[in-house]
Amino acid sequence: MADKVLMKGNEAIAEAAIIAGCRHYFGYPITPQTEIAAYMAKRMPKIGGTFLQAESEIAAINMVYGVASTGLRVMTSSSSPGISLKSEGLSYLAGADLPSFIVNVQRGGPGLGGIQPSQSDYFQATKAGGHGDFRMIVLAPASVQEMAELTVHGFDLADKYRMTSMILADGTMGQMMEPVSLDFKIAEPVEKPWATTGTQMKREHNIVNSLFLSPDVLERTNFERFKKYDTVCENEVMYEEYMMDDAEICIAAFGIAARVSKNAIVEARKRGIKVGMIRPITLWPFPEKQFAAAAEKVRAFISVELSMGQMIEDIRLAVNGKAPVTLCNRVGGMIPSPDEVLDAIIKVSEGGNN
Amino acid sequence: MVIFDKPHALADVPLHYCPGCTHGIIHRLVAEVIDELGIEGKTVGIAPVGCSVMAYNYFNCDMIEAAHGRAPAVATGVKRALPENIVFTYQGDGDLASIGMAETVHSAARNENITVIFINNAIYGMTGGQMAPTSLPGQITQTSPYGRDVNHCGYPIKICEMLSTLDGPEYVARVAVNNVKNVRAAKKAIKKAFENQVNGLGFSLVEVISSCPTNWGLTPEKALEWVESKMIPYYPLGVYKDRHADSNE
Amino acid sequence: METTQYLIAGFGGQGILFAGKFLAYKGLTDEKNVSWLPSYGPEMRGGTASCSVIISDSPVGSPIVSKPDILIAMNLPSLDKYEDSVAPGGIIFLDSTLIERQVRRTDVTVYRVPATQMASDNKIPTLANMIIMGKVLAVTGQFDDEAGVTAGLKKVISAKRSDMLDVNLNAMKLGYNA
């Protein structure tokens, strides 16, 4: 472990982004992710990069749109209320097929909500990032190491598919420190012949645009984009299975909820309850095949969430009625304790014996 | 002998603008300046949302279509990524002075090294003639059918006057294109706004008082008269800020 | 498979997060799995500050310490708030300069260190946190390896402030001998 350093999750994201070749960061202060901006403000000037504090989240995402148009790697980060402001830009980025990398270190909502950890932007990230038909790749780290790794991966995926990838973390992941290894393999740079870098009078002009006034053209554009999304679903699903081999109960959880659930699973196993976990690492594309397969083996699912029950809808769709799916949740910045999750497991376990 | 030709930077496609609209003149002036400075190959233009939304089809340089009002933020991103390139935005009054006001003011305050061409025709054209932030007091529009009542919806915003109070911007000027003399002056201001960027001097904005015969309900000729008699008295032409005025003369 | 869960609590300005970071770095140099999680938000500014540190031979599950094996209470509100949460058989270290009352729990071991007074007496008023940390290391048998302690300290003290290394080490020695 000699090569490991202790870092906050937010700092790990920032350093990993720099390692991934990101030299442009735009953001607006909001708790609990300001360490990312602070880190970038310190580092970028020293490596010839740009850190700019924008006048708003809206301006920041549009600065991202500008840099993305030139084909360079660029990012912004924010927390829940700020992501709402960015949703206009996220839609335009999707409509113009631009690669970009966005971080949401979630806090409790709705409205101004609170500043403590939450996962209640799941719907927003996976289903409704903005107006129009589009998707974003949504990555859910559950450790500081993954905050860093998924950042590098997120940049690679964004370039590969010309779309936005988003880290959906929470205040705990952002604020906690864990050992991190920053030894990454960076993918080969992707050619971007579409970028607006100036014609040099050597080619036709490039246009970055999301306006298609002819319905047939717009329809075709959408169909083609969704073919690309199908490829993403086929190739890019990531998940972790934990003690699922003999599991009779399957917990579904991501991020901090998965960390808490692991403790509960260990305790439940001590009591002879066969429980395991599927932890989605990509929330979109969602590991639906894995949940469908699990539904053939287990007799119940428990979705552990820091929301009023958002991911549970995707689990139910994947399970398709083959097993009951119940919710174990805390919201508003509260985090379920391992005991609360254990209670939920025991309840489901006993319910099954009746 | 060719004595009048289309500028190379202006694409050889039919423009969609209404008869008598002055967007065509301003497009041409911008394209002439790009030609004269020999910068087409390294220029990236940002089109707005509004009548000139499809400006991305009309210039031969690389073009980006921005969200409504966000062109200066997009331009900031492009310029920070490609500082050697020339970046301009082309925006109307709703785009620049209403929904994009924050982006306008802050890019000016940062003295972002970009060129902003601001078309003020005192109306929302594309959506069919609604009241703009620059509509004159008493002006009748679709959403001020009894005339703009300043007690109800406030006063027009004078962008040049406002931006010239900031320490940031390099150059802020207002011109018009309602007659030959004014067109010539407009060309000069637009050229300076691009030259400033080439010379690394910073944020340069040229407000062009324009006309909208269709939504003003006037003939093209009467519309130009309205520019002279109503618009220019409210929005006086001239240079509002020029940090290097002396050294340039 | 051994796991120790620490909860360090006090008021803002007592160096709670720093002490926690030191523990985490010490764990890292000992090649353990570690996590460090601070409380954050407005409570950082003068209110109660706390941080969770977990040092383990196996990968850390939840980074949130809700049943600490070791509670380090640097002021009375922290003891009031967290005393009941300490795991049975756990240890409470408290700053007896600032906490006069006795610990009510009878199933835990208590070490009272007049850390704030000692810090004041030794003209290192900002290092009560490290004095009590010295005691923690002494009791948990971690001070035997002074090289490891110094290595941990080196990581948590920035290069710019390397003059603080010895000062912190000496503060910990005070606690060790207390």
Side-chain angles (χ1 to χ4, degrees):
Chain A
M1 277 190 229
D3 57 334
K4 289 197 176 180
V5 288
L6 265 191
M7 285 183 115
K8 276 194 169 189
N10 286 334
E11 293 165 347
I13 283 178
E15 184 56 33
I18 289 169
I19 292 169
C22 174
R23 289 295 177 273
H24 293 85
Y25 172 94
F26 305 94
Y28 186 85
I30 183 168
T31 306
Q33 60 78 54
T34 38
E35 290 86 358
I36 301 178
Y39 196 93
M40 291 303 198
K42 252 188 179 171
R43 289 275 277 126
M44 282 299 194
K46 294 189 174 168
I47 54 172
T50 297
F51 163 83
L52 188 62
Q53 182 168 320
E55 60 268 29
S56 67
E57 321 284 6
I58 299 168
I61 192 74
N62 282 284
M63 290 171 188
V64 167
Y65 183 94
V67 175
S69 299
T70 72
L72 296 179
R73 288 190 161 184
V74 58
M75 72 174 285
T76 183
S77 62
S78 191
S79 180
S80 310
I83 298 294
S84 292
L85 284 168
K86 290 186 197 294
S87 63
E88 174 197 58
L90 293 174
S91 175
Y92 279 72
L93 284 161
D97 295 308
L98 290 174
S100 71
F101 178 73
I102 316 293
V103 177
N104 180 0
V105 183
Q106 297 166 92
R107 51 189 262 182
L112 200 48
I115 59 169
Q116 299 302 324
S118 169
Q119 297 179 330
S120 54
D121 301 346
Y122 179 94
F123 282 157
Q124 184 191 42
T126 60
K127 303 183 192 308
H131 63 279
D133 276 323
F134 76 95
R135 293 291 194 177
M136 299 184 290
I137 293 168
V138 183
L139 305 160
S143 67
V144 176
Q145 184 67 40
E146 278 190 356
M147 290 284 258
E149 282 172 6
L150 293 177
T151 293
V152 174
H153 191 53
F155 274 106
D156 289 345
L157 289 176
D159 275 352
K160 185 175 174 186
Y161 294 104
R162 285 184 67 177
M163 62 189 290
T164 292
S165 64
M166 174 186 274
I167 293 264
L168 192 69
D170 61 72
T172 321
M173 287 297 136
Q175 296 294 327
M176 71 187 283
M177 285 207 308
E178 284 184 322
V180 190
S181 161
L182 293 168
D183 189 14
F184 301 120
K185 205 174 131 265
I186 310 294
E188 286 293 306
V190 174
E191 291 290 319
K192 296 175 179 174
W194 47 265
T196 52
T197 53
T199 63
Q200 314 305 325
M201 310 304 274
K202 285 177 187 157
R203 56 161 169 78
E204 288 291 297
H205 68 161
N206 282 339
I207 299 173
V208 168
N209 174 40
S210 65
L211 179 69
F212 301 93
L213 287 175
S214 312
D216 57 327
V217 177
L218 183 53
E219 183 190 50
R220 199 163 61 238
T221 310
N222 273 291
F223 279 144
E224 280 168 14
R225 190 172 296 126
F226 270 69
K227 269 188 212 154
K228 171 175 82 182
Y229 293 160
D230 287 344
T231 312
V232 176
C233 290
E234 200 56 47
N235 298 332
E236 307 299 346
V237 169
M238 294 171 74
Y239 62 96
E240 179 202 5
E241 287 197 355
Y242 181 68
M243 297 194 179
M244 279 299 291
D245 286 349
D246 61 344
E248 292 169 2
I249 297 169
C250 174
I251 284 186
F254 65 95
I256 183 62
R259 294 286 292 261
V260 172
S261 296
K262 275 194 181 175
N263 289 29
I265 290 166
V266 170
E267 282 304 312
R269 287 261 170 187
K270 285 182 192 163
R271 295 164 193 232
I273 303 173
K274 288 181 178 166
V275 54
M277 174 167 66
I278 298 176
R279 172 173 74 90
I281 298 172
T282 51
L283 298 177
W284 194 92
F286 191 72
E288 50 193 16
K289 284 179 191 159
Q290 288 67 32
F291 279 101
E296 304 292 340
K297 304 191 314 188
V298 306
R299 56 186 174 81
F301 291 82
I302 305 170
S303 187
V304 181
E305 303 184 40
L306 276 66
S307 76
M308 290 306 292
Q310 299 192 11
M311 182 173 73
I312 194 172
E313 294 191 3
D314 284 332
I315 299 163
R316 283 185 173 139
L317 280 172
V319 167
N320 204 15
K322 292 205 167 122
V325 188
T326 56
L327 179 67
C328 169
N329 67 327
R330 295 296 300 270
V331 298
M334 301 300 288
I335 299 172
S337 68
D339 283 351
E340 283 172 296
V341 179
L342 180 62
D343 286 348
I345 294 169
I346 291 169
K347 205 168 148 193
V348 167
S349 165
E350 286 169 352
N353 292 336
N354 286 344
Chain B
M1 190 177 77
V2 178
I3 54 166
F4 191 77
D5 202 1
K6 205 174 184 96
H8 187 275
L10 199 60
D12 195 10
V13 293
L15 309 191
H16 72 279
Y17 299 113
C18 302
C21 171
T22 46
H23 267 308
I25 297 172
I26 303 160
H27 278 28
R28 185 185 168 93
L29 295 181
V30 170
E32 282 180 358
V33 165
I34 290 172
D35 277 12
E36 287 167 21
L37 296 177
I39 53 174
E40 184 190 320
K42 60 174 181 175
T43 296
V44 180
I46 323 285
V49 172
C51 279
S52 48
V53 63
M54 279 185 287
Y56 56 78
N57 283 328
Y58 303 151
F59 292 99
N60 274 330
C61 57
D62 277 356
M63 293 295 293
I64 299 170
E65 208 295 302
H68 198 22
R70 318 300 176 214
V74 174
T76 296
V78 175
K79 188 70 184 183
R80 298 285 179 134
L82 304 171
E84 301 305 318
N85 286 50
I86 300 301
V87 183
F88 77 93
T89 72
Y90 189 103
Q91 304 173 258
D93 41 51
D95 193 89
L96 180 140
S98 191
I99 197 166
M101 182 61 96
E103 285 79 0
T104 303
V105 171
H106 284 270
S107 56
R110 289 193 302 267
N111 198 24
E112 210 64 60
N113 192 23
I114 58 172
T115 302
V116 175
I117 308 298
F118 166 38
I119 314 305
N120 178 3
N121 62 4
I123 201 134
Y124 282 81
M126 187 176 74
T127 44
Q130 293 82 22
M131 188 185 74
T134 52
S135 291
L136 297 179
Q139 187 178 336
I140 289 171
T141 72
Q142 194 187 68
T143 51
S144 57
Y146 310 111
R148 179 175 187 152
D149 176 358
V150 294
N151 294 314
H152 173 68
C153 54
Y155 288 86
I157 294 173
K158 297 178 176 179
I159 287 293
C160 286
E161 287 84 339
M162 186 179 76
L163 292 184
S164 64
T165 66
L166 299 174
D167 292 339
E170 167 65 25
Y171 178 70
V172 178
R174 184 182 288 129
V175 297
V177 286
N178 60 322
N179 58 42
V180 174
K181 178 170 152 282
N182 282 348
V183 169
R184 286 199 171 136
K187 164 92 178 275
K188 239 178 109 179
I190 290 170
K191 190 162 184 179
K192 186 173 167 68
F194 274 92
E195 281 171 342
N196 283 346
Q197 186 179 167
V198 171
N199 295 328
L201 295 180
F203 185 91
S204 300
L205 178 144
V206 178
E207 173 175 348
V208 186
I209 301 298
S210 191
S211 65
C212 182
T214 300
N215 287 302
W216 289 356
L218 300 172
T219 64
E221 197 187 354
K222 291 278 179 207
L224 294 180
E225 284 171 19
W226 202 79
V227 166
E228 188 70 38
S229 64
K230 304 284 188 201
M231 290 283 283
I232 292 176
Y234 199 89
Y235 297 107
L237 307 185
V239 176
Y240 283 80
K241 185 160 188 219
D242 185 356
R243 207 160 30 198
H244 288 79
D246 296 337
S247 57
N248 285 349
E249 276 165 9
Chain C
M1 276 208 330
E2 193 177 311
T3 298
T4 310
Q5 305 206 18
Y6 296 84
L7 186 65
I8 312 171
F11 53 78
Q14 276 184 311
I16 300 300
L17 303 187
F18 181 88
K21 271 186 196 172
F22 163 73
L23 268 182
Y25 273 111
K26 169 92 173 54
L28 182 63
T29 51
D30 293 344
E31 304 201 343
K32 304 277 190 188
N33 296 284
V34 304
S35 71
W36 172 93
L37 177 71
S39 57
Y40 63 86
E43 64 182 11
M44 277 158 53
R45 332 249 182 254
T48 315
S50 71
C51 86
S52 297
V53 177
I54 299 174
I55 312 226
S56 178
D57 291 327
S58 53
V60 177
S62 171
I64 304 155
V65 171
S66 46
K67 292 179 197 161
D69 301 303
I70 295 179
L71 169 67
I72 300 153
M74 298 287 290
N75 66 357
L76 183 61
S78 300
L79 183 65
D80 290 345
K81 188 171 176 186
Y82 297 116
E83 179 178 345
D84 289 344
S85 70
V86 178
I91 310 173
I92 297 178
F93 294 88
L94 55 82
D95 185 336
S96 56
T97 313
L98 301 178
I99 303 171
E100 290 177 8
R101 81 162 169 86
Q102 297 300 311
V103 170
R104 283 185 285 265
R105 291 273 297 271
T106 53
D107 58 344
V108 297
T109 311
V110 180
Y111 293 91
R112 304 178 63 89
V113 182
T116 296
Q117 186 62 51
M118 290 168 72
S120 172
D121 293 347
N122 288 277
K123 303 204 164 42
I124 44 170
T126 57
L127 288 178
N129 59 338
M130 299 314 278
I131 291 174
I132 211 162
M133 207 44 70
K135 187 70 180 175
V136 172
L137 295 191
V139 169
T140 55
Q142 296 185 69
F143 216 127
D144 312 342
D145 167 29
E146 193 176 314
V149 174
T150 311
L153 263 184
K154 268 189 184 157
K155 293 215 167 180
V156 75
I157 294 171
S158 69
K160 276 182 287 185
R161 309 210 49 198
S162 56
D163 54 313
M164 293 304 291
L165 194 64
D166 284 343
V167 185
N168 276 273
L169 194 59
N170 289 335
M172 282 202 284
K173 281 178 180 164
L174 287 173
Y176 176 77
N177 295 316

